Amino acid sequence: MPTEKNRRILIIDDNRAIHDDFRKILVREDTSHLDALESSLFGEPAPAAAVTSYLVDSAYQGQEGVALVERRLAEGERYALVFLDMRMPPGWNGVETLERLWKVDPDIQVVICTAYSDCSWEDLLGKFGEVDRLLILKKPFDTAEVCQLACALTEKWRLARRAHLKLNQLRAMVDEQTRDLQQLAQSLRASEERYTIAAAAANDGLWDWDLLGDTVYYSPRWKAMLGFVESEIGSALTEWIDRLHPDDRVPVRAELDAHLTGRVEAFRAECRLRHKDGQYRWMLWRGLGVRDAAGRVVRMAGSQTDITERRVAEEQLRHDAFHDTLTGLANRALLSDRLERCLARLKRDPSLTFAVLFLDLDRFKLINDSLGHLTGDKLLLEIAQRLTGCVRATDTVMKIDHHSLARIGGDEFVLLLDGLREPEDALRVAERLLDTMSQPFNIDGHEIFSAFSVGVALSRPDYASPEEVLRDADTALYQAKSAGRGRYEVFDRAMHLTAMNRWQTENELRHALERDELCLHYQPIVSLDGRAVSQLEALVRWQHPQRGMVPPGEFIPVAEETGLIVPLGSWVLRRACAQLAEWRRVAGRPVSVAVNVSGKQFARAGFVAEVEQALAESGADPASLIVELTETVLMETGAVMQARLEGLRALGVRIHLDDFGTGYSS
């Protein structure tokens, strides 16, 4: 019997960080010392919650993973599940590794983890056929997805092992019956007695089909599983066949014929049988045939097991894997699958049109912070219901073939419109959504006004993957937010170029900080009376190795958006203090320098200590340093403003208000 407590999982990935992530998700910490402490403090401890425990092993190349599977198989400690990376240079890729894994252990279940679009389900189906031991998990994966996959697939593996054991038991029983049949003349009475006792004691329903006489014996338990008593079911094969669900008759007949003709060793079928109350119950049918000297099956015997609860649980797991737990809407995985189908149809017929609308609730974090996450969740539920109603109403008016509404993030929703008559219909839907969502929500007595921003991506023949469509819709959403929120924008290629330039600027700016490509220019402030330089303002410039001098207007907004403004501001502060000390040493008199400070930098708890350290390391006079802050910074950081200002004043640093009159007190 496979162990009930521990389930073995193997991670095959060339990235050590991925292994750490899986272990954080799957490996439970030992809390026995906490249980002992609780017992000593309070007496009898509370019963521990039933938690699935996983034994996780790691391999960093496909060859190493296959070797581990072989070793564990020899030791009798088989893996139930493998999370397999698709690309692991320089060794085997995921497909090669999978082929070798299944040669070693055909029952092992595999989840291919990939961040690339070159691993399609159609390719895997073409190579391995339709198998129930293979899934694809797109990177970056979600913790809930990994937990659900680990729980469902290891439980499925465990149930399969138990089913295999029961089949072996059934085979042994049928073998015994076959031997008894060969000695029928000598021991018919004893055999009948043993069979009668076994049928009465078995929890599963038993059946015995005489193909020559075309009669079937159904045990009392078999009949009771369908709600009938002994006398209500006869011995005809139609008692079983006629109760089959119409959708199951063809596949069950195919499985039965495959065993009768010798193509498969044992008969096995999962099907629905009509109960006496009219409902259908899921049953697992298993059996083996007895052949005569000519090789023809003359008798079959087997069992019937009620698996309704298992099938319902599997259906629920499948539903949970593709739906958002809070709203019940489709999740990213299901949305990606439907987008894949749209793209496949578009390749076959370029005249088809679909659109993706990326919706984001503006300032949702403020609602969570002020009213609490419970209210935030209720708001998301109300939003999902209102969006669903709006889409249905729109569908009725515009006759859209298909639509899918999904929640893919905290406050992010995506609407897929398939079969549009014309692209402009997507814009009409966006306008209708914005108008509908502008009406206030009433949550727990709070009137909440919400505003959405929408990014629209229309279908194009050159789209290769769902990720590209969502990326472009997200880019358009970013433009909508930048343009003032509460509006929609349609993606065009210029947006992508802008986003790529912004990404490239961010990436190169990180390297610029490391490679010391930044420099300070000093703008003098001249007194008109005597034309003397009264002070200077430090202005950061970027000496790019290929682009030359990059003006601040191109990189300061990116630094603010990405948070790089904090290390950038620290660098400016240290460099300006060092220059202050140098000028005083050379000129023999103090020179004042003003340094602009970002709101993000000023809001940090250690900002005053940072200024103090920069002054101490450089030896600059604190009175020569001027910290310039905007009105907006002071207003937005009001709660901490006084402590910061008093700390700077205690150091002797001067404080100037910059851009006065352009913010709150204009």
Side-chain angles (χ1 to χ4, degrees), residues 218 222 226 228 237-256 267-275 278-285 304:
Y218 302 103
W222 191 100
L226 297 177
F228 295 97
L237 183 62
T238 54
E239 296 282 7
W240 171 41
I241 298 298
D242 289 351
R243 288 183 172 83
L244 275 171
H245 191 283
D247 295 341
D248 295 338
R249 292 180 181 179
V250 172
V252 167
R253 173 57 70 179
E255 291 291 337
L256 188 58
F267 167 63
R268 184 185 187 280
E270 292 188 10
C271 55
R272 286 160 288 183
L273 288 182
R274 189 177 63 253
H275 195 273
Q279 301 295 318
Y280 281 95
R281 304 281 297 177
W282 276 100
M283 300 293 177
L284 171 61
W285 271 62
Q304 172 180 281

Side-chain angles (χ1 to χ4, degrees), residues 75-351:
E75 295 171 351
E77 294 287 350
R78 301 171 66 183
Y79 290 107
L81 174 62
V82 173
F83 284 96
L84 174 61
D85 188 21
M86 177 54 70
R87 295 188 175 187
M88 297 178 288
W92 301 334
N93 63 19
V95 174
E96 293 172 309
T97 304
L98 178 55
E99 288 181 309
R100 289 168 169 83
L101 282 173
W102 277 349
K103 286 180 180 179
V104 175
D105 186 352
D107 295 329
I108 201 166
Q109 300 179 106
V110 179
V111 175
I112 289 183
C113 306
T114 178
Y116 301 92
S117 59
D118 57 355
C119 176
S120 71
W121 185 246
E122 289 75 11
D123 293 340
L124 293 175
L125 282 178
K127 187 167 187 64
F128 298 105
E130 293 187 356
V131 293
D132 62 350
R133 295 163 289 130
L134 179 63
L135 290 174
I136 292 179
L137 177 61
K138 293 288 186 179
K139 293 181 180 178
F141 49 72
D142 182 72
T143 297
E145 291 177 326
V146 174
C147 288
Q148 289 173 350
L149 286 172
C151 179
L153 294 180
T154 56
E155 176 66 9
K156 174 174 170 285
W157 183 89
R158 187 185 69 83
L159 291 174
R161 302 284 71 71
R162 295 187 65 181
H164 180 71
L165 178 62
K166 294 194 74 173
L167 181 58
N168 287 340
Q169 293 171 339
L170 179 60
R171 286 174 178 168
M173 183 184 73
V174 173
D175 288 343
E176 181 180 353
Q177 292 174 357
T178 303
R179 288 191 297 269
D180 290 341
L181 285 173
Q182 293 171 349
Q183 302 172 1
L184 184 60
Q186 296 80 19
S187 58
L188 180 58
R189 183 179 299 276
S191 177
E192 289 178 346
E193 289 178 354
R194 287 194 298 270
Y195 187 82
T196 302
I197 294 171
N203 186 48
D204 289 348
L206 302 180
W207 53 271
D208 191 342
W209 179 19
D210 178 6
L211 277 73
L212 298 178
D214 198 23
T215 59
V216 183
Y217 165 75
Y218 302 103
S219 71
R221 174 60 181 155
W222 191 100
K223 300 172 183 178
M225 292 169 74
L226 297 177
F228 295 97
V229 298
E230 177 73 24
S231 60
E232 291 180 304
I233 290 183
S235 59
L237 183 62
T238 54
E239 296 282 7
W240 171 41
I241 298 298
D242 289 351
R243 288 183 172 83
L244 275 171
H245 191 283
D247 295 341
D248 295 338
R249 292 180 181 179
V250 172
V252 167
R253 173 57 70 179
E255 291 291 337
L256 188 58
D257 289 344
H259 180 58
L260 293 176
T261 56
R263 296 197 305 273
V264 297
E265 183 179 354
F267 167 63
R268 184 185 187 280
E270 292 188 10
C271 55
R272 286 160 288 183
L273 288 182
R274 189 177 63 253
H275 195 273
K276 187 177 182 180
D277 62 9
Q279 301 295 318
Y280 281 95
R281 304 281 297 177
W282 276 100
M283 300 293 177
L284 171 61
W285 271 62
R286 290 170 292 193
L288 286 174
V290 178
R291 301 181 184 274
D292 61 12
R296 295 173 301 179
V297 177
V298 295
R299 183 179 179 184
M300 279 188 69
S303 66
Q304 172 180 281
T305 307
D306 191 328
I307 58 170
T308 304
E309 291 185 1
R310 192 201 82 193
R311 290 298 296 245
V312 170
E314 289 176 349
E315 242 356 271
Q316 186 63 46
L317 284 173
R318 277 192 289 270
H319 179 275
D320 293 345
F322 292 102
H323 291 81
D324 174 51
T325 55
L326 176 64
T327 63
L329 299 176
N331 61 12
R332 182 182 288 271
L334 184 54
L335 175 68
S336 296
D337 178 72
R338 291 173 178 172
L339 261 176
E340 285 273 14
R341 296 171 187 267
C342 288
L343 292 174
R345 287 196 299 272
L346 185 63
K347 290 186 183 301
R348 294 193 297 268
D349 184 0
S351 65

Side-chain angles (χ1 to χ4, degrees), residues 263-568:
R263 296 197 305 273
V264 297
E265 183 179 354
F267 167 63
R268 184 185 187 280
E270 292 188 10
C271 55
R272 286 160 288 183
L273 288 182
R274 189 177 63 253
H275 195 273
K276 187 177 182 180
D277 62 9
Q279 301 295 318
Y280 281 95
R281 304 281 297 177
W282 276 100
M283 300 293 177
L284 171 61
W285 271 62
R286 290 170 292 193
L288 286 174
V290 178
R291 301 181 184 274
D292 61 12
R296 295 173 301 179
V297 177
V298 295
R299 183 179 179 184
M300 279 188 69
S303 66
Q304 172 180 281
T305 307
D306 191 328
I307 58 170
T308 304
E309 291 185 1
R310 192 201 82 193
R311 290 298 296 245
V312 170
E314 289 176 349
E315 242 356 271
Q316 186 63 46
L317 284 173
R318 277 192 289 270
H319 179 275
D320 293 345
F322 292 102
H323 291 81
D324 174 51
T325 55
L326 176 64
T327 63
L329 299 176
N331 61 12
R332 182 182 288 271
L334 184 54
L335 175 68
S336 296
D337 178 72
R338 291 173 178 172
L339 261 176
E340 285 273 14
R341 296 171 187 267
C342 288
L343 292 174
R345 287 196 299 272
L346 185 63
K347 290 186 183 301
R348 294 193 297 268
D349 184 0
S351 65
L352 296 176
T353 302
F354 69 85
V356 168
L357 279 62
F358 206 125
L359 302 89
D360 183 78
L361 178 61
D362 297 330
R363 302 179 69 83
F364 180 65
K365 184 178 184 299
L366 177 62
I367 296 172
N368 270 341
D369 292 344
S370 56
L371 300 179
H373 288 274
L374 183 60
T375 300
D377 286 348
K378 290 181 180 179
L379 175 61
L380 291 174
L381 277 170
E382 291 286 340
I383 288 172
Q385 293 171 6
R386 188 178 291 187
L387 285 173
T388 302
C390 181
V391 171
R392 285 174 180 165
T394 302
D395 187 26
T396 302
V397 174
M398 297 186 182
K399 304 298 183 185
I400 298 168
D401 289 347
H402 304 285
H403 58 73
S404 298
L405 182 62
R407 178 183 176 225
I408 64 172
D411 58 344
E412 294 177 334
F413 297 82
V414 173
L415 176 60
L416 169 62
L417 301 174
D418 189 15
L420 294 174
R421 300 296 182 269
E422 53 186 18
E424 288 74 14
D425 284 344
L427 309 186
R428 297 187 184 99
V429 173
E431 291 173 353
R432 183 185 288 261
L433 289 175
L434 290 174
D435 181 62
T436 301
M437 301 312 295
S438 66
Q439 303 303 314
F441 293 87
N442 193 305
I443 309 293
D444 295 335
H446 300 286
E447 190 177 40
I448 301 176
F449 287 87
S450 65
F452 268 81
S453 298
V454 182
V456 182
L458 300 173
S459 56
R460 298 200 316 262
D462 59 335
Y463 276 133
S465 68
E467 288 74 18
E468 292 182 4
V469 186
L470 292 174
R471 176 203 64 198
D472 290 349
D474 192 23
T475 301
L477 173 65
Y478 176 86
Q479 289 295 114
K481 284 181 171 292
S482 300
R485 304 175 185 267
R487 54 180 292 155
Y488 72 86
E489 290 286 346
V490 182
F491 175 81
D492 58 39
R493 296 183 185 275
M495 289 183 184
H496 181 61
L497 292 175
T498 301
M500 290 300 295
N501 289 335
R502 189 169 60 248
W503 172 81
Q504 184 177 1
T505 299
E506 175 191 349
N507 196 38
E508 292 180 347
L509 184 56
R510 293 183 187 275
H511 291 302
L513 287 167
E514 299 168 358
R515 298 167 183 168
D516 201 24
E517 295 174 3
L518 301 174
C519 62
L520 291 184
H521 287 189
Y522 294 90
Q523 175 176 289
I525 299 175
V526 181
S527 171
L528 295 180
D529 182 12
R531 299 191 178 184
V533 175
S534 60
Q535 68 182 57
L536 301 102
E537 183 175 1
L539 303 175
V540 66
R541 297 293 185 267
W542 180 6
Q543 184 62 48
H544 194 281
Q546 283 81 39
R547 296 161 58 187
M549 190 66 71
V550 181
E554 292 188 18
F555 66 89
I556 292 297
V558 175
E560 285 278 5
E561 180 183 337
T562 61
L564 286 173
I565 195 68
V566 173
L568 176 62

